[in-house]
């Protein structure tokens, strides 16, 4: 089945046709976080959606080559490191690490490569040099280097800007600005006192790269001059992605990206997230309220299609918990049926249909709501068949395999059982006495474990614990 994705350049759902002549490899570049603080759950909505894309690509048999950079130099990182009195690298490495930990909490598969921007200054300098040579960029009288947008007639193609009404002629020295303020944008910022000891030598004097150039340089360095899919949150469309297109295409003369993948924003209680509103939560804040990373992942995935705004609420988190409990209980029954059932029989029609339904759902622009709808339908049907004592072991295995196929894309995994330290100590003790063949003591310990609300089963692989 062909995977179709919404392309925010053409504003249409299009089949994915990889650049790779063999049709196998898909290159994916995703703008990574600016590492000056902990990521908020809005940032992670974008990265969870990218993870869904990545897993779906693999599910459909593509070999994904995925790069995501960490922005470790810009106004915010420099300001933060100076406030904390730490060298820039030391300061940003704290938040790089925190991002990787949070991504793990959410079971996000990391990209094949996650370069830090500052490790590629020579590549950025070379690209800027090429743009100057081609007269697409110039050194201004303030000593910084700017991209000349009038040299790139396609400027505005991603956001469908009417340039005739917009070009103001002013230069923009900031990385972020509004459409109304469009102008020649900075590629290399001349060093100023506020930069402290942050700066690199270049043919244009000491300075640092602008934000936009890093993604063009890193994407070309790791994935080549053209890529299949470029992703990020919707706010990056302008000016960041518009500028990436201008820089890359002016340098190579080739179409930079085949397919633009933009994730719409996460709102909290219907509001834009902001520190001043007190509604900006990190992954850690959500865990501190007693939820798991798995529940947050489910809420971020299932609340809305990636191309629609998603409204985060605590009620939504409770609903995620309920949905996962339902899935987990069903999974337990299926697992038991796989081992306990006996007879061989015909295929379980619901499981066979389900495999096709989820492929169809994901192939149509990652339609997660459809996929989950089919999952709950399968749960209802299998539960009914189980209640009637009619699901055979072979059929249960088919259901199990269908779930595994779905979960390779959802990435929910099994519920992780958190074992209290007290129970773990009894388990360890029991393992030791069983080794010494003291079965009377082993039974005593089993009872002690049971009084704490846990069941222990002895299997070929050792003791298996579950809540009773
Ligand atoms: P930043 O660290 O600010 O560069 O953001 C990292 C990623 O998070 C980018 O792809 C942003 O577009 C995305 N992002 C920022 N705010 C939100 C939000 N409220 N909802 C979804 N994605 C967001
Ligand atoms: Zn970028």
């Amino acid at each position: 089945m062909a995977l179709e994705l919404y392309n925010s350049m053409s504003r249409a759902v299009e089949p994915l046709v990889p650049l790779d002549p063999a049709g196998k490899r898909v290159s994916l570049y995703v703008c990574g976080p600016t590492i000056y603080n902990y990521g908020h759950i809005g940032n992670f909505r974008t990265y969870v959606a990218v993870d869904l894309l990545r897993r779906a690509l693999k599910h459909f048999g593509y070999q994904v080559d995925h790069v995501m950079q960490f922005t470790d130099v810009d106004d915010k990182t420099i300001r933060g490191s100076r406030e904390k009195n730490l060298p820039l690298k030391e300061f940003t490495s704290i938040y790089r690490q925190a991002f990787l930990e949070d991504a793990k909490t959410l079971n996000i598969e990391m990209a094949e490569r996650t370069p830090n921007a500052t490790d590629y200054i020579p590549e950025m300098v070379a690209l800027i040099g090429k743009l100057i040579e081609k007269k697409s960029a110039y050194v201004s009288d303030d000593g910084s280097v700017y991209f000349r947008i009038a040299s790139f007639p396609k400027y505005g193609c991603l956001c469908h800007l009417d340039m005739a009404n917009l070009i103001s002629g002013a230069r923009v020295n900031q990385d972020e600005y509004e459409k109304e303020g469009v102008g020649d944008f900075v590629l290399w910022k001349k060093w100023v006192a506020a930069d402290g000891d942050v700066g690199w030598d270049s043919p244009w004097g000491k300075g640092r790269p602008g934000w936009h150039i890093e993604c063009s340089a890193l994407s070309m360095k790791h994935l080549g001059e053209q890529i299949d899919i470029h992703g990020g949150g919707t706010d990056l469309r302008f000016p960041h992605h518009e500028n990436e297109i201008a820089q890359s295409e002016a340098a190579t003369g080739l179409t930079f990206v085949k397919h633009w993948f933009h994730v719409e924003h996460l709102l909290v209680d219907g509001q834009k997230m902001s520190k001043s509103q007190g509604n900006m939560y990190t992954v850690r804040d959500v865990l501190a309220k007693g939820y798991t990373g798995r529940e947050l992942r489910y809420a971020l995935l299932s609340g809305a299609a990636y191309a629609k705004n998603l409204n985060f609420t605590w009620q939504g988190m409770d609903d995620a918990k309920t949905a996962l409990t339902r899935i987990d209980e069903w999974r337990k029954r299926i697992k038991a049926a796989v081992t306990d059932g006996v007879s061989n029989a015909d295929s379980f029609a619901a499981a066979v249909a389900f495999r096709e339904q989820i492929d169809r759902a994901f192939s149509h622009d990652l339609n997660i709501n459809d996929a989950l709808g089919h999952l709950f339908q399968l749960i209802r049907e299998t539960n009914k068949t189980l209640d009637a004592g009619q699901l055979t072991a072979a059929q249960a295995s088919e259901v199990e395999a269908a779930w595994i196929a779905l979960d390779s894309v959802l990435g929910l995994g099994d519920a992780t059982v958190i074992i209290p330290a007290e129970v773990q100590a009894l388990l360890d003790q029991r393992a030791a006495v069983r080794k010494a063949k003291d079965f009377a003591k082993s039974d005593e310990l089993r009872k002690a474990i049971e009084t704490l609300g846990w069941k222990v089963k002895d299997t070929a692989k050792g003791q298996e614990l579950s809540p009773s």
Side-chain angles (χ1 to χ4, degrees), residues 5 23 44 47 86 98 105 119 157 162-163 311 329 331 374 385 393:
L5 289 173
F44 281 101
Y47 297 113
L86 286 175
T105 301
D119 292 332
C157 59
D162 176 4
M163 292 307 292
N311 190 24
E329 278 167 4
R331 297 267 300 118
H374 292 306
T385 316

Side-chain angles (χ1 to χ4, degrees), residues 331-363:
R331 297 267 300 118
K332 247 192 262 164
R333 291 190 80 183
I334 295 300
K335 273 193 183 161
V338 168
T339 44
D340 299 346
V342 274
S343 74
N344 244 322
D346 294 342
S347 284
F348 186 54
V352 177
F354 176 72
R355 299 287 286 253
E356 227 188 278
Q357 287 159 344
I358 58 168
D359 278 3
R360 201 166 322 118
F362 286 129
S363 73

Side-chain angles (χ1 to χ4, degrees), residues 32-36 69-74 77 92 115-117 211 214:
T34 309
I35 37 181
Y36 71 108
Q69 101 294 354
F70 282 89
T71 298
D72 60 347
V73 60
D74 78 329
T77 45
T92 54
N116 276 333
W211 169 38
E214 72 184 47

Side-chain angles (χ1 to χ4, degrees), residues 29 31 69 211 215 230 236 240-241 244:
Y29 188 91
C31 298
Q69 101 294 354
W211 169 38
C215 290
H230 194 319
L236 299 190
H240 186 54
H241 290 159
E244 281 189 37

Side-chain angles (χ1 to χ4, degrees), residues 197-217:
D197 58 3
V198 178
W200 291 266
D201 289 329
S202 82
W204 320 287
K206 189 170 163 181
R208 61 180 164 103
W211 169 38
H212 315 295
I213 197 73
E214 72 184 47
C215 290
S216 290

